[in-house]
Amino acid sequence: MEDQDLEWKEVGEVNEWKPNSGRLITIGARRLGVYRFEDRFYAVKDYCPHAGVSLVAGATAENSLREPVVTCMAHGWRFNLEDGCMVGGHGDCRVAAYPCRIVDDKVEVGV
Ligand code: FES
């Protein structure tokens, strides 16, 4: 999707995220995990395609991310926060990923 087609939604202030962690954000009917890793923000659908567990639930503590990858706390499937693709196999298994941007210290997600 082109940037001009996106609707940008403010989801919080940068300092509401602990370093290298995620928070559950709801935008309409969408449940997203919005993650801060180092100086970047990422957003992916908060639904593990294996058995439907929340992905962000295991990543809310400070420094729970060691790389821009979230690990499902149920059975360990891992998803790249850049594009939502599963790390290490299972074909085209992925979760939806959404762009993020920072505007005046506010985090915005494009949907
Ligand atoms: S529910 Fe996520 S790995 Fe099983």
Side-chain angles (χ1 to χ4, degrees), residues 48-53 55 72-77 79:
C48 180
H50 180 216
V53 168
L55 292 170
C72 181
M73 64 182 187
H75 313 101
W77 286 19
F79 298 90

Side-chain angles (χ1 to χ4, degrees), residues 10-26:
E10 185 183 315
V11 295
E13 297 197 6
V14 167
N15 62 11
E16 292 178 63
W17 275 261
K18 296 172 227 156
N20 306 326
S21 72
R23 298 174 62 211
L24 178 65
I25 299 292
T26 302

